[in-house]
Amino acid sequence: MDTAALPTQALARELIARRSITPDDAGCQALLAERLAPLGFQCETLVVNGVTNLWARRGTARPLVCFAGHTDVVPTGPVAAWQSDPFVPTLRDGCLYGRGAADMKSSLAAFVIAIEAFLAAHPGAPGSIALIITSDEEGPSVDGTAKIVERLAAAGETIDYCVVGEPSSVENLGDMIKNGRRGTLSGTLTVIGVQGHIAYPHLARNPIHLARAGHRRTGGTRSGTRATSTFRRPPGSAPTSTPEPAPTT
Ligand SMILES: [Zn+2]
């Protein structure tokens, strides 16, 4: 493993060892705050209905660059089906195994190590840095990031740039970066048909058939992927950016 990755791996291991199954944070955020406070971060913990959230900010100037992520992990399923204990971080064949190694405790570790390295190299950098971390991303997700964002909005705080640490690589680290993410539209669709006799189907209007047509018009099950803008770059090339493709209808 790349030696530059070792501090990140060490912190990721500490996080993976904490059994933070949604909505339990299991001390992960306290560990992050412990690392961030000496760097000048003001760390606020907001507990809502058993969900633990961390808002940490260093500085007050704009622009504000924010890192967003979650400390919770989904349940492990049968532990016997794992090759190693999911809460004992284990290195095998150059890969780190454990619940949350991919989604997304390694990302949280990378946030902290990148911030430490950046501030060591640029102690007087303009602007400010923040983190929004929740313990309820894998669950209902109503008392987590949304609550912090509501508070920020009420205080008139605006985030200029945000990096979300969700894993998006396909084969190699950094081979895919997603610019934005799908949204959700919820609603109630009422489809009114016309009753008829089975012998005269042409005189009836089957609401199931009509609903199918409506489903197609709203994009059906593909709407999520349509709204996701992704790009892949060849290994070794510099990160770049592509404009959001025009939505198809
Ligand atoms: Zn995730």
Side-chain angles (χ1 to χ4, degrees):
M1 182 169 284
D2 181 358
T3 51
L6 289 177
T8 307
Q9 186 198 141
L11 183 52
R13 281 173 177 268
E14 285 192 70
L15 291 166
I16 292 167
R18 286 163 168 76
R19 294 172 178 266
S20 55
I21 296 172
T22 313
D24 190 1
D25 170 67
C28 292
Q29 292 175 27
L31 176 63
L32 297 175
E34 229 172 71
R35 295 286 288 260
L36 294 168
L39 301 172
F41 280 80
Q42 301 290 321
C43 300
E44 288 177 56
T45 295
L46 178 68
V47 179
V48 187
N49 296 323
V51 173
T52 308
N53 303 298
L54 175 67
W55 166 247
R57 179 167 181 168
R58 180 187 187 274
T60 54
R62 301 279 298 272
L64 170 59
V65 178
C66 183
F67 294 92
H70 61 92
T71 51
D72 59 319
V73 296
V74 294
T76 62
V79 173
W82 286 67
Q83 290 181 39
S84 54
D85 187 319
F87 296 105
V88 177
T90 306
L91 204 59
R92 280 197 307 273
D93 303 324
C95 293
L96 183 61
Y97 289 86
R99 184 50 109 209
D103 188 8
M104 55 171 283
K105 290 179 170 177
S106 297
S107 296
L108 300 177
F111 289 168
V112 173
I113 301 302
I115 291 168
E116 287 176 347
F118 176 78
L119 292 176
H122 309 281
S128 48
I129 306 172
L131 291 92
I132 296 178
I133 310 291
T134 181
S135 71
D136 179 27
E137 194 272 348
E138 305 288 9
S141 300
V142 294
D143 293 317
T145 303
K147 287 288 185 286
I148 295 187
V149 170
E150 281 168 18
R151 269 181 42 147
L152 294 179
E157 296 232 46
T158 309
I159 295 169
D160 297 292
Y161 304 98
C162 189
V163 177
V164 179
E166 287 294 336
S168 56
S169 303
V170 180
E171 287 159 11
N172 297 299
L173 182 66
D175 66 358
M176 179 181 283
I177 297 171
K178 300 198 177 195
N179 179 12
R181 195 73 169 101
R182 64 179 179 267
T184 303
L185 172 66
S186 301
T188 302
L189 177 66
T190 304
V191 181
I192 299 171
V194 177
Q195 284 188 339
H197 192 282
I198 192 169
Y200 304 97
H202 58 286
L203 297 179
R205 285 170 68 79
N206 187 328
I208 295 174
H209 296 167
L210 298 173
R212 218 167 48 193
H215 187 240
R216 269 201 302 272
R217 286 180 58 184
T218 57
T221 56
R222 294 183 57 198
S223 57
T225 53
R226 281 186 184 182
T228 300
S229 167
T230 62
F231 64 89
R232 295 183 68 177
R233 60 187 172 86
S237 66
T240 181
S241 181
T242 54
E244 188 84 12
T248 53
T249 54

